[in-house]
Amino acid sequence: MSSPTFAVAIMAAGKGTRLKSKRPKVLHEIGGKPLLLHVIAAAKQVVQAGDIYVIVGHEADRVKDAVATEATHFVVQAEQRGTGHALQEVKAFFTASAITPPDHLLVLSGDVPLIRPETIAAIRDFHLREGASMTILTAIPSDPTGYGRIFRKSPESSEVVAIVEQKDLKPQQRSMREINSGIYAFRTASLFEQLGSLTANNAQGELYLTDVAMLLVKAGEKVVAIEANGGVDEVLGANTIAEIMHLDAAMRLDTARRLMAQGVTIFRPETCIVDADVKIAADTVIEPFVQLLGKTAVGGDCRIRSYSVIQDSTIGEGVTIRNGCILDHAHVADGAILGPYAHLRPESYIGESAHVGNFVETKKVRLGKGSKANHLTYLGDAVIGSGTNIGAGVITCNYDGVNKHQTTIGDNVFVGSDSALVAPVVLGNGSLIAAGSVITQDVPEDALAIARGRQETKPGWASSRRDRLRKS
């Protein structure tokens, strides 16, 4: 016999009215990426991307754009009439697309970003073992207010007789603490058979997917519940900005613990912001108040000092990043030293054992092995060889007001302080640029270039001037 087929439907159509935000609810971020992307990432570890159906509605195009690279299907719920209506649209999508429905359908919420693949797999496996038509993932929070409650046949039974939404609870039912997480597994044929029987006879005037539980029980089919074993935060959604920040803090602390378990030292992890997709190798030290964002990858034996912000960058082995450095889409090779207060903008490639010092800014630059730019310098649209020294206050004048131009500096070049290199210009290997020069022409290999006004010194002129001023 072939294995039963599973697909995942993710609810992502809601407005999130209580957030008081113009942004779609599922596009609010924790751990450096939208809530919905966390849910999709977890689902993709259980089923293939082609078996994931994201239900979109409010600002559907914006949500689609945000997750377009995930290769999932999109089901449009143009009018949001409740969770039951959302699954009606999924059923219609299968029919219209001539897609054979899966044997079973897992339903996830797009605003439950801490859901783990292990939990999704657990509800799937429990659903199959129980031979259930519907399986509900539950939790028991300290305060269940706002969530639908689960009513079992008995406290020891896995079987469920009803799910009652908060607004529809009777006074005597409000003491029940086991909540519906909004995450389910269905036998698809049983689900689709009952969707047409849903009514909007409730406080919200919506079609509740939870009512399917009662319909299935009445039809004599098995409805069961399994409590999540990953903690309450794993299955709770977010309805306010404060709740989103609570989930963000939980995810970041979990990320820090995971990295520390892998040999990374993080001083005061509660002060650091480390996004969920960041990778750090063992024996690297992260000091307090560091931000590591996006898909940043840090090699081993590095030290990143306080107040540095590093986004979508790659850091090699044995790199020292001193206080207050800003890196954005940069690449730093092994043994390099940055900062303090260096700013590496996109397409900055810092070579092995190179130095980029305090108040140096780079953009679209390749700085070669062992080269140094230690003080108060701007390097833009430049290719710089190995062993080259860039003096304090040097700038590459790369922009003429219309176009950008490149500066090429060879190996073992010495550029004196306060020089301006007016691109396009080439400095040959071993050349030397005198301090204070404005270089507008190419400099051959091993040549000295001086481009400044000649100094004239007049002995005694200053004292004579002072005497004249005193007499006048």
Side-chain angles (χ1 to χ4, degrees):
M1 293 178 61
S2 60
S3 299
T5 57
F6 275 84
V8 171
I10 302 176
M11 304 282 194
K15 294 181 179 180
T17 305
R18 281 181 281 177
L19 292 174
K20 303 294 191 292
S21 171
K22 296 178 182 178
R23 197 187 327 173
K25 181 179 184 180
V26 295
L27 296 190
H28 282 261
E29 295 185 357
I30 73 165
K33 63 184 181 183
L35 304 175
L36 177 57
L37 280 178
H38 290 288
V39 179
I40 292 174
K44 284 172 70 173
Q45 294 190 51
V46 179
V47 301
Q48 298 293 319
D51 292 320
I52 298 175
Y53 298 83
V54 180
I55 305 163
V56 295
H58 177 62
E59 295 209 39
D61 290 340
R62 190 174 175 183
V63 176
K64 287 180 183 179
D65 289 345
V67 300
T69 59
E70 299 300 313
T72 61
H73 299 282
F74 294 103
V75 177
V76 178
Q77 185 187 13
E79 183 183 2
Q80 288 86 64
R81 294 171 45 216
T83 53
H85 177 246
L87 268 294
Q88 289 178 350
E89 295 290 354
V90 172
K91 179 182 178 182
F93 179 86
F94 284 133
T95 301
S97 304
I99 296 174
T100 301
D103 297 325
H104 302 273
L105 190 63
L106 293 160
V107 178
L108 307 179
S109 297
D111 66 344
V112 182
L114 301 187
I115 187 70
R116 299 177 304 141
E118 297 86 350
T119 300
I120 300 172
I123 188 175
R124 175 199 63 193
D125 296 343
F126 182 76
H127 177 74
L128 291 177
R129 284 197 307 271
E130 291 287 318
S133 292
M134 178 181 184
T135 301
I136 306 158
L137 185 66
T138 71
I140 303 178
S142 57
D143 181 5
T145 304
Y147 291 91
R149 307 300 202 281
I150 297 295
F151 292 85
R152 298 178 183 247
K153 278 188 175 181
S154 69
E156 298 79 20
S157 175
S158 65
E159 293 195 46
V160 173
V161 294
I163 307 172
V164 181
E165 295 297 328
Q166 169 77 32
K167 291 182 173 60
D168 299 312
L169 286 170
K170 296 175 182 177
Q172 65 270 26
Q173 295 175 319
R174 289 174 184 164
S175 62
M176 296 295 294
R177 291 181 54 217
E178 186 174 18
I179 66 165
N180 169 31
S181 70
I183 295 171
Y184 315 101
F186 289 99
R187 181 183 292 117
T188 308
S190 298
L191 169 66
F192 284 0
E193 184 179 350
Q194 299 298 337
L195 286 175
S197 299
L198 294 176
T199 66
N201 185 25
N202 52 61
Q204 293 291 90
E206 294 183 347
L207 300 177
Y208 287 158
L209 186 58
T210 50
D211 287 346
V212 171
M214 182 180 63
L215 293 171
L216 289 171
V217 169
K218 285 183 177 179
E221 299 197 48
K222 191 174 185 180
V223 178
V224 298
I226 177 174
E227 185 179 342
N229 62 7
V232 173
D233 281 341
E234 181 184 9
V235 299
L236 293 187
N239 293 310
T240 66
I241 297 295
E243 289 174 353
I244 290 176
M245 291 304 97
H246 172 80
L247 296 179
D248 180 77
M251 175 171 283
R252 293 189 188 282
L253 184 58
D254 183 66
T255 298
R257 286 172 174 160
R258 170 174 52 81
L259 291 169
M260 289 189 286
Q262 296 168 1
V264 179
T265 297
I266 306 178
F267 287 104
R268 297 283 303 277
E270 73 277 9
T271 71
C272 296
I273 296 178
V274 182
D275 280 354
D277 290 340
V278 168
K279 294 179 172 58
I280 309 174
D283 296 313
T284 281
V285 176
I286 309 297
E287 294 189 0
F289 301 102
V290 166
Q291 296 185 40
L292 302 175
L293 310 175
K295 296 186 179 297
T296 291
V298 181
D301 293 300
C302 296
R303 191 172 191 104
I304 302 178
R305 308 209 66 173
S306 295
Y307 305 107
S308 291
V309 180
I310 303 173
Q311 178 167 340
D312 292 312
S313 296
T314 302
I315 313 298
E317 302 276 332
V319 173
T320 298
I321 299 178
R322 293 172 175 149
N323 302 67
C325 292
I326 309 295
L327 282 69
D328 184 6
H329 290 81
H331 182 100
V332 182
D334 297 351
I337 299 175
L338 307 183
Y341 308 112
H343 185 187
L344 274 56
R345 294 166 61 193
E347 298 184 65
S348 292
Y349 295 86
I350 308 304
E352 184 179 344
S353 301
H355 290 196
V356 176
N358 42 261
F359 304 106
V360 173
E361 179 182 359
T362 66
K363 182 180 185 297
K364 202 173 182 180
V365 162
R366 288 187 175 271
L367 184 64
K369 180 178 180 179
S371 290
K372 299 177 181 180
N374 277 330
H375 321 279
L376 303 161
T377 290
Y378 171 69
L379 301 172
D381 293 280
V383 177
I384 302 167
S386 61
T388 285
N389 186 83
I390 308 295
V394 171
I395 62 171
T396 56
C397 306
N398 58 323
Y399 184 51
D400 63 9
V402 178
N403 297 307
K404 299 287 184 71
H405 302 280
Q406 182 171 291
T407 296
T408 302
I409 303 174
D411 299 335
N412 302 308
V413 174
F414 184 92
V415 182
S417 297
D418 202 30
S419 293
L421 310 178
V422 183
V425 69
V426 177
L427 310 185
N429 293 338
S431 59
L432 190 151
I433 309 301
S437 295
V438 178
I439 302 299
T440 58
Q441 299 177 19
D442 292 350
V443 179
E445 290 188 11
D446 298 316
L448 167 65
I450 305 174
R452 63 191 182 208
R454 183 178 295 276
Q455 179 175 320
E456 182 179 350
T457 303
K458 297 182 178 182
W461 186 91
S463 60
S464 297
R465 178 177 180 272
R466 287 192 293 270
D467 289 342
R468 290 194 303 273
L469 290 173
R470 281 196 293 267
K471 293 176 182 177
S472 60

